[in-house]
Amino acid sequence: MYKSLFSLILLLLVSGCSNGAQLEPSNGISHHHLLPPTVELEIEDSTYSTEQGSYCWRNENSAECLSLASPIEIAENIEPIKVPVNKTISLLPKRQPSQQTLAMTNVESEQDEEIPLNKDNQFKAPKTAGVYIFNYYAIWEKDDTETSGDSSYIFKIEVDK
């Protein structure tokens, strides 16, 4: 039930920009491949990439939106990162978002939980061994790059005792 509700909420969050419409600039030049900032993880001085989830990214002249599979489906093809119990994990967005949420799904129990991030974009790995899928969702306001949008990122960890 919670997994379905979580997937529905995520779908609703990205549905506003998932029609794939492209706005063409007035000069007739198309700016394809507008991409949101990348987000990496840092665990014990090692850096890991995240999988790109659904996003909608825009500038003054165009927008690019992509609706992908659910985080659970995307995570099926991700090798989990081994992490000690209660270890600090840092999210490293290439550009600090104006809003962000982090949701965690326990693969075994299929229970979802929102995880608070501290001011340094850090959180603790669970205290219980197991495999966990994380969905990081962020919104960026327009800045000096003149781009804005929202995106989700997926990663999977395996907590060892």
Side-chain angles (χ1 to χ4, degrees):
M1 162 103 177
Y2 289 108
K3 185 165 86 170
S4 298
L5 181 60
F6 179 73
S7 296
L8 178 61
I9 290 170
L10 180 62
L11 178 65
L12 291 174
L13 286 172
V14 297
S15 66
C17 59
S18 64
N19 64 4
Q22 292 279 351
L23 302 173
E24 294 299 324
S26 59
N27 63 7
I29 299 171
S30 175
H31 293 135
H32 293 285
H33 304 299
L34 282 170
L35 297 173
T38 59
V39 175
E40 296 180 325
L41 303 171
E42 184 177 69
I43 306 168
E44 295 185 324
D45 297 324
S46 294
T47 305
Y48 303 90
S49 61
T50 60
E51 289 294 319
Q52 178 68 62
S54 298
Y55 68 88
C56 193
W57 202 251
R58 56 193 123 336
N59 64 20
E60 191 174 297
N61 299 315
S62 62
E64 182 152 329
C65 298
L66 183 63
S67 184
L68 297 173
S70 74
I72 303 295
E73 292 170 316
I74 292 171
E76 287 176 359
N77 299 317
I78 299 174
E79 192 66 34
I81 303 164
K82 302 233 188 260
V83 179
V85 169
N86 212 32
K87 189 67 180 171
T88 298
I89 300 172
S90 299
L91 290 170
L92 306 172
K94 294 297 180 198
R95 177 175 153 191
Q96 185 61 34
S98 56
Q99 297 177 43
Q100 58 188 353
T101 59
L102 181 63
M104 176 184 77
T105 301
N106 180 318
V107 171
E108 185 176 314
S109 69
E110 297 184 0
Q111 288 187 317
D112 298 325
E113 178 181 346
E114 189 164 325
I115 305 298
L117 293 168
N118 70 17
K119 65 181 172 96
D120 296 322
N121 295 334
Q122 296 176 329
F123 65 99
K124 296 279 189 179
K127 296 176 183 176
T128 306
V131 177
Y132 299 87
I133 297 168
F134 288 84
N135 181 26
Y136 174 65
Y137 175 76
I139 299 172
W140 288 268
E141 302 298 326
K142 191 184 292 188
D143 68 358
D144 58 345
T145 66
E146 295 296 317
T147 61
S148 63
D150 61 282
S151 182
S152 64
Y153 304 85
I154 293 83
F155 58 96
K156 184 165 50 173
I157 66 171
E158 183 175 351
V159 176
D160 293 325
K161 285 197 171 192

